[in-house]
Amino acid sequence: MSSESPPPAASGDNQDELILAQKEAIAQDIASNASLVGNLEPVYSLEREFSHDAVFMTKIGNLKGRYAELRRTRPDGNCFFRAVAYRYFELLLHRPDEYERIKALLPRAKAQMIELGMPTFTLEDFYDNFMDHVDRVGQAHMDAQQLFETFNEPGQSDYLVVFLRLLTSMQLQRNAEFYQNFMEGDKTVAEFCATEVEPMYNESDHIHITALTEATGISLRVIYLDRGSQTEASLHDFPDQGESAATTPLVHLLYRPGHYDVIYPVKSTSESGPATSNATVTTTAELSS
Amino acid sequence: MNDHPRLTAVFARLSFGRTSGKKPARKATDNPKWEKRLQKELMAIMKDPPDGITVSQDTLEGSDLSQICVNMTGPSGTLYEGEAFMLRFKFGPKYPFDSPEVVFTGENIPVHPHIYSNGHICLSILTEDWSPAMSVQSVCLSIASMLSSCKEKKRPPDNSFYVKTCHKNPKKTRWWYHDEDV
């Protein structure tokens, strides 16, 4: 195959190639500088990046009381899905109840995906692979280190991401009437899924998060570290529990504009066992004041 | 899956190709399992071929999975009824996370408003709207459906300019998908 030859001499005729080559170079650069899933680091490591920024520094300072550690993911457009998947699999290592729940839920989800007309052949490939990993982790055939390695192996890691993208697409399409309210212009939900959900490297938005948490029953809290004027990072729980915040979400993510990382509440890192609910919890009301 | 004797032989040949070719160094973004996925796809097409679509003899006899050819017959009841076409797929190591390169090849390139005379196809699922849940089979079906909905056989308006200036790999073109109805 010789199709990867450099642009021909008359490159003035074809700017497309240069642009695409640059995009590929950027992707390779990101890939060589950021692991798909990084090691645990203390939350205060964020301070190094934002030392010049008073608003962020205040918010990070206030986060430190509630969150101990951070795990970065590669900013490749798949970060939301990869972060959720990693943290969830990590929890499955210690949560037989979650393992039983998700094991019962996924076959139903798969049937719904097929019912929607998703291509059975490829879907089964992604489903089987995902289920296989759920089983391996849930039945202790894989430990935290192997999980970490799996998520850093591109083919494998992306296989898991694809399945979550398909689940999200399924949830949106099955509830198309509702989600149509959030579409821009005259885009249909099916078109949105085909262009913004199923293809890799497309960034996730509120609507992806809502659909994925609905489809999986995985509760999620996103801490938004952005330029808002308050001194506390704002947060959003999925599914939305309003002011009650009765239960602590399973998975916590830190959002910075354009990117999601995994964040670990104080005393509830991966090693702390099932007692995630004992972590320091701040209610929605307190945080959004 | 390997129960059919002829398919088993083909499968063995395709598998053999995996070890015989020299491998370029793997990049951080590559999928080490792309050939396995592709073998499964080809097996599925051979076992249960969709209407008008067959894997070419050369592909079946060859051992290189990075390039395969598929015969397509113009769908009946359309402007292309009875015509024979050939599609060439090229796969990179990021398949199926990245799309394959797909062009019409051979003597008969369909005359269609989204198909250039050099075989390049303007179809969004082949670049930015590609999803890993798609496959050789679903690409063939999308292209067949594109042919079926055509009302007038003609080349794209910018055919002669494009064919003169484009890269031979259509994935190196940044396509503008303007006319979704044809």
Side-chain angles (χ1 to χ4, degrees):
Chain A
M1 249 181 32
S2 59
S3 61
E4 297 303 316
S5 55
S11 57
D13 287 336
N14 204 328
Q15 290 294 310
D16 288 0
E17 285 163 38
L18 299 175
I19 291 166
L20 290 172
Q22 189 180 19
K23 282 171 92 175
E24 172 66 17
I26 292 170
Q28 285 299 334
D29 190 46
I30 291 173
S32 52
N33 286 314
S35 309
L36 287 167
V37 172
N39 285 307
L40 278 178
E41 14 180 326
V43 160
Y44 60 73
S45 68
L46 288 168
E47 290 176 344
R48 285 201 299 274
E49 287 160 60
F50 294 105
S51 55
H52 58 284
D53 190 308
V55 176
F56 276 83
M57 284 301 274
T58 309
K59 291 185 176 180
I60 294 164
N62 289 328
L63 267 186
K64 282 193 292 184
R66 295 187 301 280
Y67 288 96
E69 288 170 303
L70 167 80
R71 194 188 288 281
R72 296 172 198 264
T73 62
R74 181 181 295 169
D76 63 356
N78 294 316
C79 58
F80 165 71
F81 290 105
R82 200 171 332 261
V84 172
Y86 186 80
R87 182 59 186 136
Y88 187 68
F89 275 103
E90 207 176 33
L91 286 162
L92 286 182
L93 289 166
H94 311 285
R95 289 286 300 262
D97 56 329
E98 260 310 300
Y99 171 58
E100 292 305 324
R101 190 187 68 80
I102 202 75
K103 207 172 154 46
L105 180 144
L106 290 177
R108 290 200 301 273
K110 177 189 159 193
Q112 292 170 338
M113 289 154 105
I114 290 172
E115 204 179 290
L116 265 181
M118 288 191 180
T120 319
F121 171 75
T122 46
L123 171 64
E124 280 187 349
D125 201 26
F126 294 112
Y127 171 84
D128 290 347
N129 177 69
F130 195 89
M131 214 40 173
D132 179 47
H133 282 80
V134 166
D135 280 336
R136 276 200 250 173
V137 172
Q139 297 171 11
H141 296 313
M142 188 184 254
D143 61 19
Q145 180 58 31
Q146 289 165 322
L147 186 64
F148 182 80
E149 285 161 13
T150 298
F151 266 84
N152 276 300
E153 211 231 296
Q156 192 47 260
S157 198
D158 285 349
Y159 253 75
L160 299 169
V161 165
V162 171
F163 184 70
L164 293 189
R165 284 188 174 276
L166 297 177
L167 262 182
T168 304
S169 173
M170 177 273 279
Q171 187 69 21
L172 290 168
Q173 294 188 67
R174 277 178 64 86
N175 300 282
E177 205 174 315
F178 171 71
Y179 284 111
Q180 189 60 50
N181 299 313
F182 304 94
M183 295 293 117
E184 285 171 16
D186 49 10
K187 207 168 211 185
T188 66
V189 171
E191 284 163 359
F192 179 79
C193 289
T195 56
E196 306 285 335
V197 183
E198 293 186 20
M200 296 293 275
Y201 320 116
N202 275 299
E203 289 179 15
S204 298
D205 223 327
H206 206 97
I207 189 169
H208 299 75
I209 308 180
T210 306
L212 180 66
T213 50
E214 269 181 12
T216 57
I218 298 173
S219 54
L220 184 79
R221 174 168 293 172
V222 181
I223 306 288
Y224 292 90
L225 192 55
D226 56 22
R227 273 214 151 270
S229 55
Q230 328 85 307
T231 53
E232 293 277 6
S234 55
L235 66 77
H236 199 117
D237 282 349
F238 300 85
D240 198 336
Q241 302 177 19
E243 298 292 291
S244 67
T247 54
T248 313
L250 273 180
V251 173
H252 297 247
L253 300 183
L254 176 70
Y255 176 83
R256 283 172 286 159
H259 185 63
Y260 295 88
D261 291 311
V262 185
I263 191 165
Y264 295 78
V266 169
K267 290 197 177 84
S268 84
T269 57
S270 55
E271 284 74 34
S272 67
T276 34
S277 56
N278 294 336
T280 313
V281 179
T282 312
T283 65
T284 310
E286 281 172 62
L287 273 173
S288 56
S289 59
Chain B
M1 195 154 181
N2 297 343
D3 47 356
H4 189 291
R6 198 173 69 88
L7 292 186
T8 309
V10 168
F11 186 72
R13 224 165 23 236
L14 291 172
S15 310
F16 181 69
R18 291 206 296 156
T19 46
S20 63
K22 63 174 189 294
K23 286 205 188 281
R26 222 163 79 193
K27 290 188 206 161
T29 48
D30 288 356
N31 169 24
K33 285 189 254 183
W34 69 272
E35 286 162 305
K36 203 172 153 213
R37 146 92 184 231
L38 199 48
Q39 282 162 6
K40 282 166 81 178
E41 282 193 40
L42 292 182
M43 291 297 287
I45 297 183
M46 288 185 271
K47 274 190 133 173
D48 187 14
D51 271 357
I53 289 164
T54 52
V55 180
S56 82
Q57 201 55 36
D58 283 354
T59 298
L60 295 182
E61 284 166 5
S63 63
D64 180 10
L65 269 189
S66 67
Q67 177 170 324
I68 68 164
C69 287
V70 172
N71 300 309
M72 178 181 277
T73 313
S76 56
T78 73
L79 297 178
Y80 306 91
E81 178 164 348
E83 286 186 65
F85 306 112
M86 184 176 273
L87 284 166
R88 188 189 67 212
F89 287 70
K90 283 188 180 179
F91 301 90
K94 283 196 243 172
Y95 186 77
F97 307 113
D98 269 6
S99 61
E101 175 196 326
V102 186
V103 295
F104 277 103
T105 184
E107 284 161 23
N108 193 20
I109 307 291
V111 178
H112 183 284
H114 289 171
I115 300 170
Y116 290 89
S117 55
N118 63 352
H120 288 195
I121 306 163
C122 180
L123 181 63
S124 65
I125 60 159
L126 297 180
T127 52
E128 61 190 47
D129 292 344
W130 166 260
S131 142
M134 294 171 184
S135 59
V136 173
Q137 174 156 345
S138 69
V139 167
C140 290
L141 293 175
S142 292
I143 292 172
S145 138
M146 191 171 125
L147 294 179
S148 301
S149 58
C150 179
K151 294 179 184 70
E152 186 190 350
K153 277 185 167 185
K154 58 178 181 193
R155 289 285 176 215
D158 57 340
N159 186 61
S160 52
F161 177 76
Y162 176 78
V163 169
K164 256 183 275 171
T165 60
C166 71
H167 193 282
K168 64 184 170 182
N169 177 356
K171 289 186 72 181
K172 306 239 175 207
T173 299
R174 287 193 311 146
W175 295 94
W176 292 82
Y177 304 104
H178 37 262
D179 186 3
E180 298 291 343
D181 302 330
V182 181

